[in-house]
Amino acid sequence: MQILRDRLRYAPNDDVFNRDINEELKKLPTFVPTATNPVTTEKEKQFLVVHRFLCEFLINEVGLTSDIPPHPSAVSFPGDVVTSDGERLSHLIQIPLDVIEVNTRGTAWYSTGLYARPGDEIHIEVLNATNWEFDLDVQIGAHTDNLEHLSSWRRCPNIVFRNKILNNRASLANPFGGPIYILLNNNNNGMLQLSITGGIRSPTYFMGKTLVSQWQNEIRNSTAPWGELIGQNLIILTQNHHLSQIDDPEAIIDFWNRVLDAISDLGALPRERVKSERFVADVQISSGLMHSGYPIMYLLSDQNKPLRISEFRTPLSRLWDHLRELGRNHQKTDWTFSGTEDVTCNLFVLYVMHNILLAPTNQTHFNLSDPIAAQSVRQYINDGKQFSDWKSRPFLALLTYIQLQEHFGWSAYQRVFSNYNQLTEGERPKNDQEKMDLWMIMFSRVVEKNLTPFFTSWGFPISPGAESKVEDLPSTTLRIRDP
């Protein structure tokens, strides 16, 4: 691959070798990874990786975007679309830069509502920038998980293509196709006006812009295989056959807007977000059954769960995983020490369950039901309250945080998180011991009680120095709940 890269990079654009490589790309493999017939052999994997490399190099560095053949696996995933050439027209897109900005979890994607067929050439032109001052990319595809490290591939391992928009223009093709996005990077002022040629309309509902009647009568019937429900706080990408059954997209978006507002409230964060969260379903993901990040990835088998809002109350645990990953995206390392990575994120789940779904704690998850919770605490006490055991059992550890919530209320958590948000760099904890100590100190100061006895009753190794910082407060009678 390094030899090929050098040979292609330093050859003229019309070099015969470049053309030969392009011809080789048309000799597509007879094997394709699918959900029912995954690729597992090293030889097949190596071919797919090199094929991806050559496509990306020819598209981004040689500029051969007009003759990229569709990959045969695209029919299986993410899917193709049967459409006439006449549908692939120029579309004018207005992007307000003041509402989207980068944060530490990745670059914001602006949904264009357009879809690129596998291999189709997409042209982008910025119409209102005379002196180029923007940092923009165009991206085709939403399934950003790279699967190369996995032993079995149910799709090609990397199916998203990007290119920089330079001097107001860019061209891009993706042999797998996918939704078309503009990556806004560090731009945060003004209004961009773009012309996008080559894509077709996807079934996309923009909250506040799209009429429900338009959605019902026209938009949801698009032949593109994927579409989006786009709200102020959350964007859901899912397959067309699920979207086409939705009559009231506003109700779904409104529910998730309220969920994200509640998460902001608990974290003492502004409700107005610099970037919407994203749910993206995939035939295979890089880790587990679901993972956080931008976007939040989960499996196709669960893709309609965020859409079935009428079923969220029974059973409530069906929604737990999606809320947990949203919670992970709002977790702060300052108050999450080793062993609580799968714990503190669930505070946001419980807050949503309590305030949006009106569910008591013991009905939110099987492991928090009264008999299971009591058994968990009893076993912990009988085993000598080993803190290493506490850190290895997320739902047991969560009971500690639940006790604080039940005794002092969610408002205490909100004030604690608000105080954490105001820490200077020098005040932030540097290691696990400092994180545990500061959590105890912060909570004690907010509720005006010395919580050292409570945390030590749970087995927390609170340092003497931390104990001395709250000894002026009246001691709490709160202790580990002994069943």
Side-chain angles (χ1 to χ4, degrees):
M1 289 171 66
Q2 182 61 48
I3 293 171
L4 286 171
R5 180 184 292 113
D6 292 342
R7 179 64 179 81
L8 290 166
R9 177 176 287 123
Y10 298 114
N13 284 351
D14 61 350
D15 183 75
V16 64
F17 186 67
N18 286 351
R19 294 198 299 271
D20 288 345
I21 290 294
N22 201 40
E23 288 301 314
E24 287 300 314
L25 287 179
K26 297 177 182 178
K27 300 175 183 178
L28 294 166
T30 56
F31 62 91
V32 295
T34 66
T36 55
N37 189 29
V39 163
T40 58
T41 70
E42 289 305 310
K43 182 178 180 180
E44 292 174 335
K45 288 181 178 180
Q46 289 164 8
F47 180 93
L48 292 174
V49 170
V50 172
H51 182 271
R52 155 77 195 202
F53 160 76
L54 291 174
C55 283
E56 188 170 38
F57 192 92
L58 291 173
I59 291 170
N60 289 355
E61 299 202 37
V62 180
L64 295 177
T65 57
S66 61
D67 202 21
I68 297 297
H71 197 281
S73 69
V75 175
S76 172
F77 191 87
D80 199 357
V81 51
V82 178
T83 182
S84 67
D85 290 338
E87 289 189 59
R88 296 195 286 279
L89 304 172
S90 293
H91 304 274
L92 188 65
I93 305 294
Q94 302 258 22
I95 304 179
L97 294 177
D98 58 335
V99 298
I100 301 180
E101 146 186 339
V102 178
N103 70 12
T104 57
R105 293 191 178 272
T107 302
W109 307 352
Y110 185 86
S111 299
T112 64
L114 302 175
Y115 196 91
R117 290 189 62 191
D120 274 9
E121 186 176 28
I122 304 299
H123 297 284
I124 310 290
E125 182 178 1
V126 182
L127 302 177
N128 65 333
T130 54
N131 296 315
W132 185 254
E133 56 185 13
F134 298 104
D135 179 12
L136 301 172
D137 296 89
V138 56
Q139 173 177 301
I140 299 177
H143 300 90
T144 51
D145 270 9
N146 191 325
L147 312 180
E148 288 183 17
H149 63 288
L150 300 179
S151 60
S152 175
W153 297 348
R154 304 178 71 186
R155 64 161 168 82
C156 287
N158 193 339
I159 61 173
V160 171
F161 282 69
R162 294 177 181 171
N163 202 2
K164 298 296 294 183
I165 300 178
L166 298 174
N167 299 320
N168 295 35
R169 290 178 173 83
S171 295
L172 185 62
N174 183 338
F176 304 95
I180 302 172
Y181 300 100
I182 304 299
L183 275 58
L184 299 177
N185 303 327
N186 296 315
N187 306 288
N188 57 8
N189 288 297
M191 176 77 74
L192 278 179
Q193 190 176 69
L194 286 82
S195 170
I196 302 179
T197 306
I200 67 168
R201 291 288 182 187
S202 64
T204 306
Y205 186 90
F206 292 88
M207 185 69 166
K209 297 181 181 179
T210 308
L211 297 177
V212 174
S213 58
Q214 286 180 298
W215 170 262
Q216 293 174 344
N217 299 326
E218 177 188 355
I219 297 173
R220 65 175 174 175
N221 298 319
S222 164
T223 55
W226 291 82
E228 292 181 313
L229 302 182
I230 300 177
Q232 180 181 355
N233 294 333
L234 182 75
I235 298 169
I236 303 173
L237 177 88
T238 192
Q239 289 177 312
N240 190 346
H241 63 269
H242 288 291
L243 293 173
S244 63
Q245 300 172 32
I246 294 174
D247 292 320
D248 188 4
E250 284 193 1
I252 298 170
I253 293 173
D254 178 69
F255 172 82
W256 286 106
N257 280 342
R258 289 187 291 118
V259 166
L260 269 298
D261 280 347
I263 288 175
S264 294
D265 292 346
L266 178 61
L269 300 168
R271 284 189 170 186
E272 185 176 353
R273 293 172 171 269
V274 297
K275 179 176 68 174
S276 299
E277 298 286 344
R278 284 184 182 272
F279 281 155
V280 172
D282 200 334
V283 69
Q284 186 178 14
I285 63 177
S286 60
S287 177
L289 300 177
M290 193 171 189
H291 69 72
S292 61
Y294 189 82
I296 293 172
M297 302 294 299
Y298 57 108
L299 296 176
L300 286 180
S301 56
D302 290 333
Q303 68 173 304
N304 61 345
K305 283 187 178 180
L307 309 177
R308 302 201 310 249
I309 59 174
S310 62
E311 302 176 17
F312 284 166
R313 286 187 167 84
T314 52
L316 290 166
S317 59
R318 79 166 71 250
L319 194 59
W320 185 280
D321 291 345
H322 288 74
L323 294 177
R324 179 190 62 210
E325 302 310 330
L326 287 171
R328 287 192 200 279
N329 280 358
H330 294 78
Q331 230 173 4
K332 298 293 180 66
T333 57
D334 290 342
W335 37 264
T336 301
F337 54 85
S338 177
T340 62
E341 297 88 352
D342 292 331
V343 182
T344 58
C345 59
N346 287 330
L347 292 171
F348 295 96
V349 181
L350 291 175
Y351 188 79
V352 171
M353 293 283 192
H354 288 175
N355 290 277
I356 303 298
L357 297 177
L358 307 179
T361 298
N362 61 1
Q363 295 180 23
T364 59
H365 196 282
F366 170 77
N367 287 311
L368 296 179
S369 62
D370 290 335
I372 301 300
Q375 179 184 356
S376 180
V377 174
R378 187 179 300 113
Q379 179 183 345
Y380 180 60
I381 293 173
N382 292 341
D383 290 344
K385 296 191 295 187
Q386 300 298 314
F387 196 57
S388 58
D389 184 28
W390 183 93
K391 292 197 295 182
S392 67
R393 297 167 57 190
F395 280 97
L396 168 70
L398 185 57
L399 294 174
T400 304
Y401 294 84
I402 289 172
Q403 262 197 277
L404 290 172
Q405 182 272 319
E406 291 176 343
H407 196 78
F408 298 109
W410 284 116
S411 61
Y413 273 100
Q414 291 169 320
R415 285 178 286 155
V416 168
F417 290 147
S418 177
N419 290 343
Y420 269 98
N421 293 343
Q422 299 173 47
L423 290 177
T424 66
E425 187 60 34
E427 294 171 330
R428 297 179 60 188
K430 304 299 189 297
N431 53 53
D432 278 355
Q433 186 62 57
E434 290 184 8
K435 290 179 182 181
M436 280 186 284
D437 288 346
L438 185 59
W439 179 254
M440 186 276 293
I441 294 168
M442 282 277 204
F443 224 105
S444 295
R445 289 295 174 190
V446 162
V447 301
E448 299 181 339
K449 294 286 185 181
N450 182 347
L451 294 178
T452 301
F454 169 73
F455 284 104
T456 55
S457 76
W458 271 98
F460 277 59
I462 302 297
S463 71
E467 292 183 26
S468 67
K469 292 183 179 180
V470 295
E471 60 185 6
D472 59 312
L473 297 172
S475 182
T476 181
T477 58
L478 190 63
R479 299 291 189 276
I480 184 173
R481 185 179 295 147
D482 189 342

